[in-house]
């Protein structure tokens, strides 16, 4: 199975884009030292603009469970867990129903736990998820050791996004050449994308990795307003001017050439009648509220950045605020237990580049005429619990 994954070229679909076969083999080799391993399917999907994993689990739960079975067998797991969050009650119900169906049909004698965690942005991060499965608060921890070395209950742990497990199940069924029959040499296969914003039919689409952004938007009914920018990868992704990315394919090499990645498969088309500065302001305020409060750069740095950018967005800042935002962004980058500060400042700095003209307007003349439009990007209610 691991050989087939390595030949297929499948990479993780949860945002990290790590080679799946390499990940499974690393856990297997660690588990051979004794004690077994743990497999955790990450169904948290804490990215607010993403719905692909929920869609997959609601309509194709057995495909994910098949992949989970293959993973557990491949790495010699003695514990198998599917981790979701309280806000995804429909996913939890679909999973529990599918697990009962498998038990009735004797398709599997392996016990699969469904564990529910908090609806917090960083609670779906790999080490936070491991902490929750181990019985602790769902907060990120410092690495190393990495999960494949010491994860749940200090055992080698494979944490895999549910879309990746679904692809693994299909590779087991049809083979690596089948998977490679679409996409590109370095980005084979298909990917699920959550397409929203200024499109006529928002939703979840599956596209080969050699598909262009424009073709994906066409499949979503086309644009209903002239596009100004695209948010790719979610709230840890980047803003890109629409004309810079419209004809790019979604394979890793093509996107990397314009400084972006597919990330969690989020694609939001932003029209010219939406204020990118206001949208960025709302998301930054949300991300600052999602700090686990464990590291100074995140606990103190992100709120300061969000507060300063809010003053810019509402026309209450001086031009020196941009210099402050640039300096603080450099100060917090790479200094947290997890990548929360890094993702937030990547989102911010890309907005400052793409919406530079709007930024100058907000600084010199105050809010623009599109600032009071309803939010295009979803902002979840902030949950206080970490359990």
């Amino acid at each position: 199975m691991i050989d087939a994954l390595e030949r297929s070229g499948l990479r993780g679909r949860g945002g990290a884009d790590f080679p799946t076969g390499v990940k499974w083999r690393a856990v297997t080799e660690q588990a051979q030292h004794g004690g077994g391993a743990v497999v955790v399917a990450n169904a948290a999907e804490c990215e607010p603009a993403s719905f692909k994993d929920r869609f997959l689990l609601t309509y194709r739960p057995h495909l994910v469970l098949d992949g989970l079975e293959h993973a557990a067998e491949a790495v010699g797991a003695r514990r198998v867990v599917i981790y979701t969050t309280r806000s995804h009650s429909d996913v939890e119900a679909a999973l529990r129903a599918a697990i009962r169906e498998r038990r009735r049909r004797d398709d599997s004698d392996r016990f699969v736990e469904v564990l529910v965690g908090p609806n917090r942005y960083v609670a779906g991060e790999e080490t936070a998820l491991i902490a929750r499965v181990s019985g602790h608060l769902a907060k990120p921890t410092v690495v190393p050791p990495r999960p494949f070395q010491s994860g749940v209950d200090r055992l080698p742990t494979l944490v895999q996004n549910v879309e990746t497990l679904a692809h693994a199940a299909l590779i087991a069924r049809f083979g690596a050449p089948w998977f490679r029959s679409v996409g590109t040499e370095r980005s084979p296969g298909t990917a699920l994308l959550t397409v929203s914003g200024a499109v006529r039919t928002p939703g979840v689409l599956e596209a080969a990795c050699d598909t262009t952004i424009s073709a994906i938007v066409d499949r979503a009914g086309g644009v209903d307003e002239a596009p100004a920018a695209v948010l790719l990868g979610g709230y840890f992704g980047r803003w890109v001017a629409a004309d810079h990315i419209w004809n790019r394919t979604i394979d890793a090499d093509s996107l990397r050439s314009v400084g972006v990645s597919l990330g969690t498969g989020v694609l939001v088309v932003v029209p010219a009648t939406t204020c990118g500065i206001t949208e960025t302001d709302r998301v930054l305020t949300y991300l600052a509220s999602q700090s686990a409060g464990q590291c100074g750069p995140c606990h103190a740095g992100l709120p300061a950045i969000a507060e300063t950018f809010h003053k810019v967005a509402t026309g209450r800042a001086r031009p020196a605020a941009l210099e402050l935002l640039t300096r603080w962004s450099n100060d917090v980058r790479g200094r947290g237990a997890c990548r929360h500060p890094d993702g937030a400042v990547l989102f911010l700095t890309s907005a400052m580049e793409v919406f530079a003209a709007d930024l100058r307007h907000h600084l010199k003349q105050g809010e623009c005429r599109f600032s009071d439009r309803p939010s295009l990007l979803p902002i979840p209610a902030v949950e206080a619990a970490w359990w």
Side-chain angles (χ1 to χ4, degrees), residues 12-273:
R13 298 293 196 255
D17 196 40
F18 193 79
T20 305
V22 172
K23 195 172 188 178
W24 289 31
R25 191 175 296 283
V27 174
T28 304
E29 291 173 352
Q30 288 290 321
Q32 289 173 351
H33 298 312
V38 177
V39 175
V40 182
N42 188 351
E45 197 166 33
C46 297
E47 168 57 55
S50 178
F51 300 93
K52 68 180 181 71
D53 292 346
R54 274 169 277 180
F55 186 89
L56 178 62
L57 286 165
T58 301
Y59 292 99
R60 295 290 184 271
H62 286 290
L63 191 59
V64 176
L65 291 170
D66 284 348
L68 191 57
E69 288 278 346
H70 286 298
E73 184 177 355
V75 305
R78 69 181 195 185
R79 187 179 178 192
V80 183
V81 181
I82 299 179
Y83 178 85
T84 185
T85 62
R86 278 189 286 273
S87 63
H88 303 344
S89 57
D90 53 341
V91 167
E92 182 185 356
L95 280 171
R96 293 190 186 279
I99 290 169
R100 287 194 298 270
E101 289 172 3
R102 295 169 83 87
R103 288 176 185 160
R104 284 198 298 270
R105 295 201 310 261
D106 293 326
D107 283 356
S108 171
D109 58 2
R110 194 181 298 276
F111 180 74
V112 178
E113 303 171 49
V114 178
L115 184 65
V116 179
N119 184 36
R120 302 285 304 230
Y121 193 79
V122 299
E125 189 270 341
E126 195 173 52
T127 62
L129 178 153
I130 284 171
R132 179 68 185 92
V133 176
S134 300
H136 309 299
L137 298 180
K139 294 187 175 185
T141 57
V142 176
V143 293
R146 300 194 176 278
F148 79 91
Q149 298 167 316
S150 178
V152 175
D153 299 329
R154 299 184 180 179
L155 293 172
T157 300
L158 173 66
V159 179
Q160 200 74 78
N161 168 261
V162 293
E163 184 192 340
T164 314
L165 290 170
H167 284 297
L170 292 170
I171 290 167
R173 188 179 305 174
F174 299 115
W178 168 86
F179 184 76
R180 282 192 168 276
S181 65
V182 296
T184 67
E185 177 64 26
R186 295 182 62 181
S187 295
T190 65
L192 294 179
L193 302 115
T194 308
V195 185
S196 63
V199 295
R200 292 188 175 89
T201 314
V204 175
L205 299 173
E206 182 176 11
C209 291
D210 57 356
T211 310
T212 63
I213 296 291
S214 61
I216 292 167
V217 171
D218 286 343
R219 286 181 54 195
V223 294
D224 57 11
E225 293 185 67
V230 171
L231 175 63
L232 197 64
Y235 295 175
F236 274 11
R238 286 182 62 97
W239 294 104
V240 192
D243 57 357
H244 287 177
I245 200 171
W246 208 245
N247 294 315
R248 295 278 177 180
T249 55
I250 60 170
D251 66 281
D253 290 337
S254 176
L255 294 179
R256 193 179 297 116
S257 68
V258 288
V260 296
S261 70
L262 195 59
T264 55
V266 167
L267 195 166
V268 184
V269 179
V270 179
T273 54

Side-chain angles (χ1 to χ4, degrees), residues 331-357:
D331 288 345
V332 304
R333 188 179 283 116
R335 295 183 58 200
C338 68
R339 293 186 61 251
H340 191 58
D342 301 56
V345 298
L346 179 66
F347 181 83
L348 166 64
T349 53
S350 66
M352 292 171 68
E353 294 170 7
V354 173
F355 304 119

